[in-house]
């Protein structure tokens, strides 16, 4: 019976076999063998490793693209990747190097990205064209992420300074130019968006000459959208930008530019090889931590991670070392071969946190979930500082330090989008320094940590300031000067770029610009102003701590430090806002703004009351008075034990006021 079953099964299979196939080769039964072999041959051809030894230092160019926000950096990077065949034309994903969802939604670059391209070019004095290795770094344009730009420029020898042909030189154009200029980079001006109806390349050339002393004849006219003029960009990069310095015969030294966490590979580090060569299996050490690691994978971004097995002097790529946390990968660190002695490379200044804010779970029971989400996110954003704290009003949470207000906003958005976390954020503050009568000084990042009635008298206060650069159309000069004066600004410089645009520099307290200064500036200039700032020194100021009290109890999450002369107005606005957003209770709620023991503003939310006199149809007045007194006693008892819930909307409104 068994043999009959096997025979019938064989006959059924033979029905599906092609005449040339054999039962001994099951793939051939369905004609798969030939297809499988050709597919594997094709894969092996595609995945053939790139031979980086064909690219000595003189055939390598490292450059970045720098510009003001929305001047077309990422679109230009897309076109260059298409021109060199790194990505296919019409890949269906504009701004290819903008990987994050928040970058695509907002149309901004948050994280600097690297891509390696190969381009054939016939150099002057050469008979045959040769292939060059080009490392492109697309950088952010917003002021909050200038730290990313400075790190990117450290791996480059040149930069494309992209300027919008219609908008001209903007504030961040100025800041990024000086970052590149101080790094001694070769700067190639690129005037982009020349296809726009309002484009005026000649005016932009004149601005570049007057502000940066860049020759108008050196500027390249392009349109990244239509592709016009792009054929001149890469030849200019190869001809004008020098090859990277370094010696392939020296001991290995590489600069750690950036790192991020991958769930499968662990920490992936972006590095620039300054001297020597790095191969898979090498043992390396960190100059900052002294830890030793083994190179598990090494390669280039072409444009995704492409293993090459080796990185040579002057090249930019990635390494996987088995690090378990991005805290081990210190940005600006020098990595070198274990058991060799090298001179560490000059690193970067550590990221300076300009804005501090408290983050609390919207539901107190979600603290562990928020903790896990923040840990995961900080694996890919090491520029955020995190410390745990607790608030009597909001429970357990975190004190976070950010590079700026947009950085804070992007961090919140990524928490919600990528990890589904719902958070309450407190009013952003800046770090202050307070000096007491005994000569001791203390830095205060959280206003709640400053005692309202200290035992020691405060003798002096200092607050951080910034040097702000503002470029505006000349007809808006008056309103902008008024705005800066209201924000306690001190004018440092005032000049005209050309007949239509003014250039202004102000020293402003950081606290005055940290919440809504940029929005107001855009509003009064019809959106034409551009704004940039860099941190400056601390200046002495008259500051006080403003407390918000609910039924006499301070709400630590709402405490803030304000300028003394503005305390009355800010206190009045805060209590007015809170009155609108706190729900009525069965007992009376008093909302007060106080400086120390002095109350400077007050609002009262009256209690919801039952009409206890409804059942009295006449009778003696003492009966009614007795019922009202009894109700009054009950309300007092409720007020003693009742608690006031502060809705999330109230915190969002406070963000707009203070």
């Amino acid at each position: 019976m068994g043999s009959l079953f096997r025979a019938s099964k064989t006959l059924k299979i033979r029905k599906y076999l092609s005449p040339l196939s054999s039962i001994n080769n099951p793939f051939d039964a369905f004609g798969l063998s030939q297809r499988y072999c050709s597919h594997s041959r094709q894969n092996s051809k595609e995945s053939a490793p790139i031979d980086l030894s064909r690219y000595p230092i003189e055939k390598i160019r490292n450059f970045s693209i720098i510009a003001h926000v929305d001047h077309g950096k990422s679109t230009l990077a897309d076109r260059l990747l298409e021109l060199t065949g790194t990505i296919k034309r019409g890949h269906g994903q504009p701004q290819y190097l903008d990987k994050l969802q928040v970058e695509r939604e907002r149309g901004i670059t948050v994280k600097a990205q690297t891509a390696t391209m190969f381009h054939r070019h016939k150099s002057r004095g050469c008979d045959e064209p040769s292939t060059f290795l080009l490392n492109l770094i697309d950088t952010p344009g917003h002021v909050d992420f200038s730290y990313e730009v400075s790190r990117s420029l450290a791996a480059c020898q040149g930069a494309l300074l992209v300027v919008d042909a219609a908008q001209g030189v903007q504030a961040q154009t100025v800041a990024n130019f000086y970052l590149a200029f101080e790094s001694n980079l070769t700067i190639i001006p690129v005037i982009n968006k020349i296809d726009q109806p309002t484009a005026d390349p000649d005016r932009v050339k004149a601005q570049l000459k007057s502000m940066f002393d860049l020759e108008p004849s050196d500027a390249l006219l392009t349109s990244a959208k239509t592709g016009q003029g792009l054929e001149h960009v890469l030849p200019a990069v190869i001809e004008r930008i020098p090859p990277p310095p370094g010696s392939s015969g020296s001991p290995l030294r590489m600069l750690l530019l950036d790192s991020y966490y991958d769930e499968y590979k662990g920490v992936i580090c972006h590095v620039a090889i300054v001297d020597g060569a790095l191969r898979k299996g090498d043992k390396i050490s960190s100059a900052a931590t002294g830890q030793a690691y083994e190179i598990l994978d090494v390669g280039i971004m072409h444009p995704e991670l492409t293993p090459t097995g080796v990185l040579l002097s002057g090249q930019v790529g990635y390494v996987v070392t088995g690090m378990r946390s991005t805290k081990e990968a210190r940005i600006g660190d020098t990595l070198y071969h274990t058991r060799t002695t090298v001179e560490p490379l000059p690193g970067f200044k550590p990221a300076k946190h300009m804005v501090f804010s408290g983050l609390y779970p919207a539901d107190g029971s979600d603290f562990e979930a928020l903790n896990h989400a923040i840990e995961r996110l900080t694996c890919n954003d090491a520029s955020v500082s995190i410390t745990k704290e607790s608030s009597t009003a909001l429970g357990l949470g975190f004190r976070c330090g950010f590079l700026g207000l947009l950085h804070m906003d992007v961090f919140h958005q990524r928490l919600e989008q990528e990890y589904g976390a719902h958070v309450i954020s407190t009013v952003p503050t800046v770090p202050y320094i307070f000096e007491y009568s005994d000569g001791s000084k203390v830095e205060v990042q959280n206003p709640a940590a400053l005692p309202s009635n200290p035992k020691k008298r405060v003798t002096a206060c200092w607050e951080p300031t910034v040097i702000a650069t503002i470029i505006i159309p000349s007809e808006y000069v008056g309103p902008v000067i008024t705005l800066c004066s209201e924000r306690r600004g001190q004018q440092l410089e005032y000049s005209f770029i050309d007949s239509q645009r003014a250039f202004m520099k102000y020293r402003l307290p950081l606290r005055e610009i940290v919440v809504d200064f940029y929005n107001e500036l855009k509003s009064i200039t019809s959106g034409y102003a551009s704004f940039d700032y860099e941190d400056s020194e601390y200046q002495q100021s008259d500051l006080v701590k403003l407390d918000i009290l609910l039924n006499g109890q301070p709400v630590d999450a709402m405490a803030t430090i304000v300028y003394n002369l503005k305390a009355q107005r800010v206190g009045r606005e805060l209590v007015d806002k809170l009155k609108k957003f706190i729900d009525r209770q069965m007992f009376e709620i008093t909302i007060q703004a106080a400086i120390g023991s002095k109350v400077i503003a007050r609002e009262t939310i009256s209690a919801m009351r039952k009409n206890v006199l409804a059942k009295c149809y006449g009778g003696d007045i003492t009966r009614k008075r007795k019922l009202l007194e009894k109700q009054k006693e009950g309300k007092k008892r409720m007020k003693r034990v009742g608690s006031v819930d502060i809705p999330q909307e109230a915190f969002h409104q406070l963000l707009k006021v203070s």
Side-chain angles (χ1 to χ4, degrees):
M1 186 72 182
S3 59
L4 282 171
F5 176 74
R6 280 195 296 272
S8 64
K9 195 173 179 183
T10 307
L11 284 170
K12 282 180 184 176
I13 291 174
R14 282 186 189 278
K15 282 171 67 180
Y16 296 102
L17 298 183
S18 63
L20 299 174
S21 61
S22 166
I23 194 65
N24 294 327
N25 188 345
F27 279 117
D28 281 343
F30 296 95
L32 294 175
S33 180
Q34 194 174 351
R35 276 186 283 168
Y36 178 77
C37 292
S38 64
H39 180 68
S40 62
R41 280 198 299 274
Q42 186 183 348
N43 271 3
S44 65
K45 187 178 176 182
E46 284 178 2
S47 59
I50 297 166
D51 184 9
L52 295 182
S53 61
R54 292 168 48 205
Y55 306 98
I57 283 184
E58 56 271 14
K59 288 192 178 180
I60 297 173
R61 300 291 184 270
N62 299 325
F63 70 100
S64 68
I65 303 178
I66 54 176
H68 188 77
V69 181
D70 202 29
H71 277 204
K73 291 181 304 300
S74 297
T75 309
L76 178 60
D78 276 4
R79 298 293 88 79
L80 296 180
L81 291 171
E82 287 176 4
L83 270 175
T84 55
T86 310
I87 58 175
K88 292 179 182 176
R89 288 183 184 275
H91 46 72
Q93 183 175 297
Q95 281 79 43
Y96 185 83
L97 293 178
D98 289 347
K99 309 282 187 189
L100 301 175
Q101 183 184 348
V102 64
E103 291 178 319
R104 298 189 180 287
E105 285 182 2
R106 291 171 176 255
I108 59 172
T109 304
V110 169
K111 196 93 173 140
Q113 297 289 346
T114 309
T116 299
M117 308 177 292
F118 299 96
H119 182 64
R120 285 183 68 76
H121 174 71
K122 187 177 178 181
S123 302
R124 291 173 191 166
C126 295
D127 297 332
E128 290 292 325
S130 52
T131 305
F132 286 80
L133 187 153
L134 309 176
N135 286 309
L136 158 70
I137 301 176
D138 181 25
T139 60
H142 195 276
V143 54
D144 283 7
F145 305 104
S146 56
Y147 178 61
E148 288 274 331
V149 180
S150 65
R151 290 205 319 247
S152 305
L153 296 181
C156 299
Q157 286 71 52
L160 298 179
L161 182 68
V162 179
V163 185
D164 191 311
Q167 296 181 18
V169 173
Q170 302 282 314
Q172 194 65 23
T173 314
V174 179
N176 284 338
F177 170 81
Y178 284 111
L179 274 176
F181 186 73
E182 286 163 11
S183 303
N184 294 319
L185 302 189
T186 302
I187 295 168
I188 301 174
V190 177
I191 299 174
N192 194 25
K193 302 189 182 182
I194 58 170
D195 59 310
Q196 289 187 337
T198 54
D200 190 353
D202 293 332
R203 181 173 64 88
V204 178
K205 284 181 182 178
Q207 290 175 3
L208 291 170
K209 176 65 177 170
S210 66
M211 294 201 72
F212 309 135
D213 200 26
L214 295 172
E215 288 300 323
S217 58
D218 291 342
L220 304 175
L221 301 180
T222 66
S223 167
K225 185 178 179 182
T226 64
Q228 185 182 347
L230 291 181
E231 66 275 8
H232 304 300
V233 175
L234 291 178
V237 166
I238 293 169
E239 296 290 346
R240 298 191 207 175
I241 294 175
S247 168
S248 54
S250 301
L252 172 71
R253 287 196 306 166
M254 58 182 177
L255 185 66
L256 181 53
L257 301 173
D258 198 4
S259 65
Y260 65 93
Y261 186 77
D262 182 86
E263 288 189 2
Y264 303 103
K265 294 187 176 183
V267 176
I268 296 176
C269 303
H270 289 191
V271 295
I273 309 293
V274 178
D275 294 317
L278 178 72
R279 289 176 172 78
K280 186 175 179 179
D282 285 0
K283 299 279 197 303
I284 60 164
S285 295
S286 159
T289 63
Q291 293 277 343
Y293 305 98
E294 182 182 349
I295 300 297
L296 305 174
D297 189 16
V298 60
I300 57 175
M301 283 71 77
H302 183 58
E304 304 301 330
L305 303 184
T306 307
T308 59
V310 65
L311 278 179
L312 304 175
S313 182
Q315 294 171 356
V316 176
Y318 74 90
V319 294
V320 178
T321 60
M323 291 183 186
R324 296 187 178 183
S325 165
T326 47
K327 290 174 184 171
E328 295 178 55
R330 297 195 183 174
I331 306 304
D333 190 8
T334 302
L335 301 174
Y336 59 93
H337 276 143
T338 307
R339 294 179 185 164
T340 60
T341 306
V342 296
E343 181 71 25
L345 297 161
F348 310 114
K349 290 185 289 187
K352 190 170 183 182
H353 300 111
M354 308 280 277
V355 179
F356 291 85
S357 172
L359 277 184
Y360 297 89
D363 183 351
S365 61
D366 291 340
F367 174 75
E368 283 305 322
L370 178 61
N371 186 19
H372 180 64
I374 287 176
E375 278 181 6
R376 294 274 301 279
L377 187 51
T378 48
C379 280
N380 292 327
D381 189 356
S383 53
V384 181
S385 71
I386 305 286
T387 52
K388 289 184 180 178
E389 70 171 8
S390 63
S391 157
T392 51
L394 299 171
L396 286 172
F398 301 88
R399 192 86 194 156
C400 305
F402 302 98
L403 302 177
L405 209 67
L406 178 67
H407 185 209
M408 181 179 87
D409 200 17
V410 165
F411 189 83
H412 289 175
Q413 190 172 337
R414 289 186 69 187
L415 268 181
E416 290 180 5
Q417 284 181 346
E418 296 175 25
Y419 301 101
H422 298 288
V423 296
I424 295 174
S425 60
T426 61
V427 180
T429 63
V430 299
Y432 302 96
I433 295 174
F434 286 83
E435 184 179 347
Y436 292 104
S437 51
D438 62 354
S440 61
K441 289 184 181 179
V442 61
E443 183 179 82
V444 177
Q445 296 172 356
N446 183 359
L450 186 72
S452 301
N453 297 296
K455 296 174 183 176
K456 295 177 284 188
R457 189 169 57 87
V458 175
T459 54
C461 319
W462 286 270
E463 64 178 341
T465 61
V466 295
I467 304 293
T469 303
I470 303 169
I471 296 178
I472 48 169
S474 48
E475 62 263 29
Y476 297 110
V477 165
V480 171
I481 289 176
T482 305
L483 174 66
C484 292
S485 301
E486 286 174 357
R487 300 300 180 102
R488 299 186 283 136
Q490 173 194 350
Q491 194 177 94
L492 303 177
E493 192 179 330
Y494 175 32
S495 60
F496 285 89
I497 299 172
D498 53 29
S499 59
Q500 299 175 346
R501 288 149 62 84
F503 175 86
M504 306 169 81
K505 267 197 174 182
Y506 270 87
R507 173 175 274 113
L508 287 158
L510 178 59
R511 195 208 177 286
E512 296 291 341
I513 69 166
V514 85
V515 175
D516 62 345
F517 178 83
Y518 186 60
N519 291 343
E520 277 202 43
L521 180 67
K522 282 286 189 184
S523 175
I524 62 174
T525 59
S526 306
Y528 287 113
S530 69
F531 172 70
D532 175 46
Y533 64 84
E534 59 187 40
D535 58 300
S536 185
E537 74 270 9
Y538 276 72
Q539 72 176 15
Q540 198 161 345
S541 187
D542 184 13
L543 303 169
V544 291
K545 180 187 177 186
L546 183 67
D547 281 311
I548 299 294
L549 312 178
L550 292 180
N551 286 343
Q553 296 298 314
V555 182
D556 52 359
M558 291 186 176
T560 183
I561 294 171
V562 295
Y563 185 57
N564 200 359
L565 294 178
K566 290 188 171 184
Q568 189 92 21
R569 178 180 63 80
V570 172
R572 168 58 49 202
E573 289 177 1
L574 286 175
V575 295
D576 284 347
K577 287 277 183 186
L578 278 175
K579 185 178 180 182
K580 292 176 186 173
F581 285 93
I582 292 179
D583 297 328
R584 287 178 70 190
Q585 306 285 333
M586 296 300 292
F587 50 88
E588 184 181 85
I589 302 171
T590 56
I591 308 168
Q592 296 169 311
I595 300 170
S597 55
K598 180 186 175 185
V599 175
I600 58 170
R602 171 182 168 136
E603 286 289 346
T604 304
I605 301 174
S606 57
M608 291 190 288
R609 291 179 54 182
K610 179 185 174 184
N611 185 6
V612 292
L613 303 182
K615 58 185 178 183
C616 298
Y617 296 98
D620 190 29
I621 187 66
T622 55
R623 170 71 179 152
K624 294 180 180 178
R625 201 171 287 153
K626 183 180 174 185
L627 289 170
L628 289 171
E629 287 295 326
K630 189 177 177 185
Q631 186 186 43
K632 193 175 175 184
E633 286 298 319
K635 297 287 183 193
K636 276 185 185 176
R637 194 161 56 251
M638 273 189 198
K639 194 173 181 179
R640 276 201 306 274
V641 298
S643 62
V644 182
D645 286 331
I646 304 166
Q648 194 170 343
E649 294 80 26
F651 285 95
H652 292 315
Q653 290 303 317
L654 290 193
L655 208 64
K656 297 174 186 175
V657 175
S658 53

